[in-house]
Amino acid sequence: MPKNPTVAPSRRRQWGAESRLEPLPTVHPAPSDRKIALARLAIVATVVFWLTYVIYTIARQFINNGTESFRFTMEAISYVIVVTFLTFSALMYLIARHGAFQRFRAHARVPRAELDRHFADNQGSITVLVPSYSEEPDVVRATLWSACLQEYPSLRVVLLLDDPPFPDDPDAAAQLSKSRQLTEEIQRELAAPRARFTDALSVFESRLRQQRPMGITELADLAGQYQWAAAWLENKADNEQRIDHVDEFFVTQVLQGLAGELQLTADALGAALDENMVPPATRLHELYRRLARTFDAELSTFERKLYASVSHEANKAMNLNAYIGLMGGNYRPEETPDGTVLRPVTHAGAGDLSIPDSEYLLTLDADSLLLRDYCLRLVYLLEQKDNARVAVTQTPYSSFRGASTRIERLAGATTDLQHILHQGKSYYGATFWVGANAVIRKAALDDIVETETEGGFTVKRYVQDRTVIEDTESSIDLGTHGWTLVNYPERLSYSATPPDFGSLVVQRRRWANGGLLIMPKLMRQMRERRARGETVPWTEFFLRVNYMTSITWASFGLVFLLAYPYDSRLLSPVVLLAAVPYFLAMGSDLRYSGYKFSDIFRIYGFNLILLPVNLAGVLKSLEQAITSKKIPFARTPKVRNRTATPLLYVIAPLIIIGFSAFTFWRDLNAGNWGNAAFAAFNMILAGLALVSYIGIWNAIVDIWIGVTSPLFVERKPTKQKAETEPESTTLDWRAILYYGDDSGSHRKVRDSIVFAEMLPPVDETREVRS
């Protein structure tokens, strides 16, 4: 590891990027009565202004003018539909934030001693699954460290590598080799503190069994152990690289944050020592356990693509499913012409693969980081009697502060707004699983598993991979089986946001794809719940529908407003007043999250240039509905350099700006002042968004790449024509014995595969004598 923590950033900081590095408080401050009252007033005002618009603007036009023309009638109807859908989404935002405020005010943090007391008797095992595909090893390493330093008993951390296992590219092979070594390297680093604190706990428990009274000596020993742990973590933090703001968070919040808590405990024990006071032996025992458990994680790596008997479908859901389906079993690797297959066995022997089962699972994206007590607090929540039917709990991830680009800062702002809204959805029972991180009850996954046979092997689907938003569909599946989901009302997890427009396009296009496909499943769930006698609140239903489909109607609605020249008589200041509470609330939430009130205008322009991306995701959903063909999972690029933007998504913002300028000129000459003002507003904000978040030069480069790349064909290296070898007459007995015929004899078998063991030589002379 590098000795100097001050390393020059690899990505140049932009003007207007974020300078703040300190994250928001873990515990949300309780909102005041005034803030909650204003939140309720915003909901009422939105409904009142919408009703006023419909009654006094639209109805009055029909009463005064009648159906003067078919065109005007259709314009009025379509305009009301668009405005109603957009107002509905704004209303759902206001309702969700009101629910979040209620949860923040009611939340009381569980004291540390109560957590330690609970887990002294309850030690349900948990397995952390970190799916990774072509991720930078340094990024994965930080994620693994944040997982294995959880202060939780019986913790296993498994890196699910999904890279091609035998890459031809030297760079890919080097990256894979480095990733494969991560878990072993971390396990070796943890060995010293693990052995030290395990021995210290054993010595203390030996004293307890001897019923020796606890005195100053035992207290001083414990304080010294905590000081040693804090110093070990501080030393590790000093030797970590700090290339960007994510590295800074890892060092200051994950490593030094845990070190600070341990040092604080050591100081408290020292203060008790100064007063000649000794805490109860049970509390000292709990503190020894805490140290031992913090450094006691077991790490391993699993690569499903090394085995022919598990699914190789290219998505995160099946990477998770492949491992979960093997949990609780013992397997003997067997070589076949297709590759290695895992045969279930009753007892594991030498060379066999044994995968322990677990009461809980924690799914964690390879670019996410957890704070130290994530597992402890979330599992404690699941183990309360009232939460016996809670399948998933999570803290919707927050963004890393200190973004080096303007677009990463704004994407982070929308992420932090979504954190608030997801907390509010839990207040109304409308929680959705957010796939970046979650603690899942394994029994709940067993309830929703779907089993099928592919090529003679059993394939289990716990997390559905029918769409690219597998977490959303799994939320519906769990609800259908009577399980619920809850968001824990603290900030305990953080995840990276795209630093450039090209990578953001990939992420947002994926997010926009799939909601429409899941809607029929949601409707079936609602019918089944009502059939069971459950009451489905209208707030839950509307919040779920809005979450899954709002991107569809918002995108098409905005296209109508931008493109169609609606009659100016349909415009009214009242329709603007209906949107004012939404924008004021968003501005307030941005300030609450550490951003600027004026960012509401930046987010509006940001959404304008993302309009083609969202439309593309919606159209992909429709394509899948028609063709029944799965849309490939597109991984968000996570690279130090900029990701090029596809040509369509660079040209489309320019078209939006140009068309808005044309609309402004046309309506200005026609005297349609309302339409002209709206067009000018869109033109200015979309133009600023193009300059700020894509960049003029970057747009030119991406357009040039998009136009010229089809003109070039990569030249493949010439190969000398090999001499034709005579066709082998040797019978491929391996393939025949495996496939049952010679249909598989053309398949190439890797040199590393040995299908059968060589028989020992036969002593012919001995055979004759016998």
Side-chain angles (χ1 to χ4, degrees), residues 78-294:
S78 66
Y79 193 77
V80 169
I81 291 174
V82 170
V83 168
T84 298
F85 274 115
L86 294 177
T87 305
F88 175 79
S89 291
L91 184 63
M92 292 301 102
Y93 180 98
L94 298 174
I95 289 175
R97 74 187 291 269
H98 171 262
F101 294 159
Q102 296 288 356
R103 298 195 76 215
F104 297 159
R105 183 166 68 172
H107 177 62
R109 202 164 207 239
V110 180
R112 179 70 207 209
E114 295 301 321
L115 294 174
D116 291 338
R117 185 173 294 110
H118 174 83
F119 286 102
D121 302 320
N122 303 276
Q123 300 182 18
S125 60
I126 188 169
T127 300
V128 184
L129 302 180
V130 183
S132 171
Y133 176 78
S134 297
E135 301 281 359
E136 293 287 340
D138 290 341
V139 174
V140 180
R141 175 181 170 275
T143 300
L144 293 175
W145 268 110
S146 77
C148 68
L149 288 177
Q150 292 294 305
E151 306 169 72
Y152 189 86
S154 306
L155 179 73
R156 295 181 64 247
V157 180
V158 183
L159 174 61
L160 303 179
L161 278 179
D162 212 27
D163 302 31
F166 307 104
D168 295 325
D169 180 62
D171 293 336
Q175 177 175 294
L176 177 59
S177 175
K178 190 174 180 181
S179 297
R180 283 171 170 165
Q181 298 171 19
L182 288 175
T183 54
E184 293 182 5
E185 290 174 357
I186 295 174
Q187 196 78 73
R188 284 196 299 269
E189 264 192 273
L190 286 173
R194 178 179 185 173
R196 178 188 180 96
F197 300 132
T198 300
D199 291 344
L201 176 61
S202 298
V203 170
F204 182 82
E205 290 177 339
S206 175
R207 292 174 182 172
L208 283 180
R209 287 192 296 270
Q210 296 170 10
Q211 297 184 348
R212 293 173 52 183
M214 297 298 150
I216 299 300
T217 302
E218 287 76 15
L219 189 61
D221 288 345
L222 181 57
Q225 298 291 353
Y226 270 84
Q227 287 176 342
W228 190 94
W232 187 88
L233 287 167
E234 287 287 357
N235 181 66
K236 177 170 178 55
D238 291 340
N239 288 280
E240 287 292 320
Q241 63 179 2
R242 301 191 184 188
I243 295 178
D244 57 21
H245 58 297
V246 179
D247 296 334
E248 187 72 22
F249 182 94
F250 172 67
V251 171
T252 59
Q253 302 302 317
V254 176
L255 297 179
Q256 292 180 337
L258 177 57
E261 277 198 4
L262 298 179
Q263 183 60 52
L264 185 62
T265 303
D267 294 342
L269 294 172
L273 193 63
D274 293 339
E275 297 179 10
N276 288 323
M277 299 292 291
V278 179
T282 54
R283 184 60 184 141
L284 297 180
H285 194 190
E286 290 166 359
L287 291 173
Y288 268 109
R289 281 200 190 110
R290 178 185 179 185
L291 274 182
R293 291 168 177 173
T294 300

Side-chain angles (χ1 to χ4, degrees), residues 13 17-22 401-403 409:
R13 293 188 64 82
E18 190 174 28
S19 58
R20 168 179 176 163
L21 288 172
E22 183 182 359
R401 307 314 290 258
R409 173 187 172 276

Side-chain angles (χ1 to χ4, degrees), residues 28-40:
H28 293 268
S32 63
D33 292 339
R34 177 177 177 271
K35 189 167 188 175
I36 292 178
L38 289 175
R40 292 171 179 167

Side-chain angles (χ1 to χ4, degrees), residues 478-496:
L478 290 166
T480 302
H481 287 76
W483 294 94
T484 60
L485 301 88
V486 174
N487 287 316
Y488 193 79
E490 294 185 7
R491 295 186 183 95
L492 296 174
S493 64
Y494 291 78
S495 192

Side-chain angles (χ1 to χ4, degrees), residues 511-709:
W511 288 0
N513 178 9
L516 290 177
L517 299 173
I518 307 172
M519 269 303 297
K521 183 175 284 191
L522 174 64
M523 302 308 295
R524 287 196 301 270
Q525 184 210 99
M526 294 298 168
R527 288 194 298 269
E528 291 178 14
R529 288 173 58 185
R530 291 191 180 99
R532 295 197 298 260
E534 295 183 31
T535 301
V536 180
W538 65 268
T539 47
E540 177 192 348
F541 176 71
F542 285 147
L543 283 168
R544 290 191 183 279
V545 170
N546 183 70
Y547 180 78
M548 294 167 60
T549 59
S550 62
I551 199 164
T552 301
W553 64 58
S555 299
F556 283 107
L558 194 53
V559 168
F560 276 108
L561 294 179
L562 289 173
Y564 190 81
Y566 281 101
D567 194 301
S568 60
R569 288 174 294 176
L570 298 174
L571 301 180
S572 169
V574 180
V575 76
L576 298 178
L577 290 175
V580 166
Y582 165 74
F583 285 107
L584 290 178
M586 181 186 290
S588 174
D589 294 341
L590 286 167
R591 283 192 300 193
Y592 171 81
S593 301
Y595 300 94
K596 299 177 181 178
F597 186 91
S598 59
D599 283 332
I600 58 174
F601 300 107
R602 297 182 181 92
I603 290 176
Y604 181 88
F606 177 69
N607 288 332
L608 280 178
I609 63 173
L610 279 178
L611 178 59
V613 179
N614 293 333
L615 283 173
V618 172
L619 293 176
K620 279 291 183 182
S621 291
L622 297 176
E623 175 189 335
Q624 182 172 341
I626 295 171
T627 63
S628 298
K629 183 179 180 182
K630 289 182 183 178
I631 303 300
F633 184 90
R635 167 186 165 271
T636 304
K638 303 176 185 72
V639 295
R640 298 287 186 188
N641 299 320
R642 190 178 71 88
T643 302
T645 306
L647 179 63
L648 171 64
Y649 304 116
V650 184
I651 295 295
L654 296 173
I655 295 175
I656 291 174
I657 296 169
F659 189 80
S660 297
F662 168 75
T663 303
F664 169 69
W665 172 81
R666 181 193 62 195
D667 289 329
L668 188 66
N669 291 332
N672 294 332
W673 310 115
N675 287 340
F678 181 65
F681 184 74
N682 292 326
M683 176 185 66
I684 293 171
L685 292 186
L688 291 174
L690 175 69
V691 173
S692 300
Y693 308 130
I694 301 178
I696 299 298
W697 177 248
N698 290 340
I700 294 173
V701 170
D702 291 344
I703 290 173
W704 174 257
I705 293 174
V707 170
T708 59
S709 58

